[in-house]
Amino acid sequence: MNLDVQFKLNQSPNYITYLRYNSHWYKILMRNPEKINDFIKEFKEFNRIQKQEKLKRTLEYIEFFQSVMSKV
């Protein structure tokens, strides 16, 4: 893998984790190092969706506890 790509990936441990779970990016980045920006864009989109899901679940838990407490 190109050194520039490795430096960019090492900027954030989250990039490395995402790369391990989505290993198809290894091949893409090995063959086309200029695709690093596409990788980062996909990671940010995934991260944004993941945060939204966490917030949604948290709000569901809060609503559940409110309904349980109102019945008591």
Side-chain angles (χ1 to χ4, degrees):
M1 193 175 292
N2 189 341
L3 282 176
D4 293 335
V5 171
Q6 289 181 16
F7 286 133
K8 283 188 178 183
L9 290 174
N10 286 327
Q11 287 177 352
S12 171
N14 295 328
Y15 289 163
I16 302 295
T17 303
Y18 184 75
L19 184 63
R20 287 185 181 146
Y21 284 110
N22 299 286
S23 58
H24 68 279
W25 276 104
Y26 279 112
K27 187 180 356 177
I28 294 169
L29 293 174
M30 287 289 285
R31 294 180 181 172
N32 299 316
E34 64 274 359
K35 298 266 187 183
I36 186 67
N37 292 329
D38 294 337
F39 169 80
I40 293 171
K41 182 179 175 184
E42 184 178 307
F43 168 76
K44 287 180 179 179
E45 179 68 23
F46 170 77
N47 202 24
R48 185 181 62 82
I49 290 171
Q50 189 177 22
K51 286 180 182 178
Q52 288 175 348
E53 289 296 319
K54 285 181 180 179
L55 180 61
K56 182 180 173 184
R57 276 186 260 133
T58 303
L59 290 174
E60 288 173 355
Y61 286 134
I62 291 171
E63 289 174 359
F64 172 73
F65 287 127
Q66 284 179 341
S67 69
V68 168
M69 295 305 290
S70 68
K71 291 180 182 180
V72 170

